[in-house]
Amino acid sequence: MEPKHTRTLHARIISWFSEHARDLPWRHSDCSPWGVLVSEVMLQQTPVVRVLPVWQEWMQRWPEPASLAAEPSGEAVRAWGRLGYPRRALRLHAAAGEIAASHGGKVPDTHAALLELPGVGDYTAAAVASFAFGRRETVVDTNIRRVHARLVAGDALPAQSLTAAEKKRAVSLLPRDDAESVAWNASVMELGALVCTARSPRCGECPVLDDCAWVRAGRPEPHYVPKGQAWHGTDRQVRGAMMAVLRQADGPVLRELLLTGPVDLVAPEAGAELAPLAALHALSAPQEQLERALQGLLRDGLAEATDSGVRLPA
DNA sequence: GATACGTGGCC
DNA sequence: TGGCCAAGTAT
């Protein structure tokens, strides 16, 4: 008993996608499931423009899971560059290992099996099953949630966490047909990324403006004030600065250099190679915080201690 | 459920 | 200038 209204939404949004979608390499028909998986993990909390060059580099260097699995995890972390949340690189490396060891080197093609992989949660499992394998899955990411919130619920923003009602709504909105469901997932996500954006939505370009509950309601304000992500002075900031030092270094970095060492311990003419170290020290983080940050990196497996210092996992 | 977890561009 | 935000996951 699918209402005519819903069918119209499907057709209009998918049609919009066919004309306005970005040409992204992981959407090409010749992109492997591995390429899709890598893209999805890289895209977690990270803008497309920053992912593109790193994804290209990874695909060239590690065209299949087994090639990544054959390298030390530190190589994955180094090649992750400045994408952020480097533990994702670690988990992708671990996932590649499991795929090589337990799945015959092939990315699993079901939501349940994908969910077992490190770094793959409900969103990524659904996205890979849908985009790489054409399965009918309910993909719910931040873009899709926002589009549904405005278009259907009439709210400026989705709730702060995914609710059961929201998930149910997403399920009910998904087209019956497999191929159409895949197109729908990609189309709604793209609409949220390009038109129905968090700030300053481009309603003039929206293919379903006529049906938008939020616009109809006079574009009311959000029900809550989004709380910002603390950064200055946090352990995260210190960890990030430390990781930058480790990525840039060829080998182990003296523990003292990481924790206390003033930059002038080293020859000034060393130049650019020392920039990350200078940046770390410029934070003027308390000794205790530096220690805590380093312990965190070691605990998380992002770094490892050797006799001569700290380095990326080798 | 709340919190920790990177990074850089934009308004 | 500085807070907000981006295809989330794990604990």
Side-chain angles (χ1 to χ4, degrees), chain A residues 33-258:
Chain A
W34 169 240
V36 173
L37 174 59
V38 171
S39 79
E40 289 300 342
V41 174
M42 287 184 172
L43 286 164
Q44 291 168 5
Q45 301 283 283
T46 309
V48 166
V49 287
R50 218 175 313 163
V51 165
L52 275 169
V54 182
W55 183 87
Q56 298 282 10
E57 189 181 319
W58 272 55
M59 286 302 100
Q60 184 167 351
R61 184 170 175 186
W62 299 307
E64 51 193 76
S67 45
L68 174 60
E71 299 229 30
S73 61
E75 282 306 297
V77 174
R78 196 188 304 279
W80 196 252
R82 305 186 66 80
L83 281 185
Y85 291 148
R87 50 176 55 180
R88 291 181 292 164
L90 226 43
R91 290 175 178 149
L92 208 36
H93 177 268
E98 287 192 15
I99 292 169
S102 309
H103 296 280
K106 300 295 182 186
V107 174
D109 65 355
T110 66
H111 182 281
L114 285 160
L115 199 51
E116 294 297 311
L117 299 174
V120 176
D122 185 57
Y123 161 75
T124 302
V128 173
S130 175
F131 302 140
F133 297 108
R135 292 187 180 278
R136 182 175 180 279
E137 299 282 344
T138 305
V139 176
V140 184
D141 80 322
T142 188
N143 292 124
I144 291 175
R145 293 186 63 207
R146 190 173 51 250
V147 172
H148 289 176
R150 289 178 181 158
L151 189 60
V152 183
D155 295 325
L157 295 173
Q160 300 192 250
S161 59
L162 183 61
T163 65
E166 213 179 329
K167 174 75 180 203
K168 186 177 177 182
R169 184 172 62 210
V171 169
S172 73
L173 251 21
L174 191 69
R176 268 322 193 193
D177 177 73
D178 286 0
E180 193 181 359
S181 75
V182 172
W184 171 252
N185 285 330
S187 301
V188 177
M189 202 179 304
E190 190 77 339
L191 185 64
L194 301 183
V195 175
C196 196
T197 53
R199 286 171 299 188
S200 309
R202 301 168 176 79
C203 296
E205 302 172 26
C206 184
V208 288
L209 179 61
D210 296 348
D211 286 319
C212 183
W214 182 53
V215 168
R216 202 181 306 132
R219 299 173 55 150
E221 295 296 307
H223 289 136
Y224 62 94
V225 181
K227 62 174 185 178
Q229 312 163 354
W231 177 247
H232 289 290
T234 63
D235 287 4
R236 267 204 297 174
Q237 185 184 31
V238 176
R239 286 169 57 117
M242 263 182 200
M243 285 303 297
V245 173
L246 298 181
R247 277 198 308 269
Q248 161 274 313
D250 290 326
V253 176
L254 252 34
R255 213 186 170 90
E256 300 70 42
L257 226 38
L258 240 28

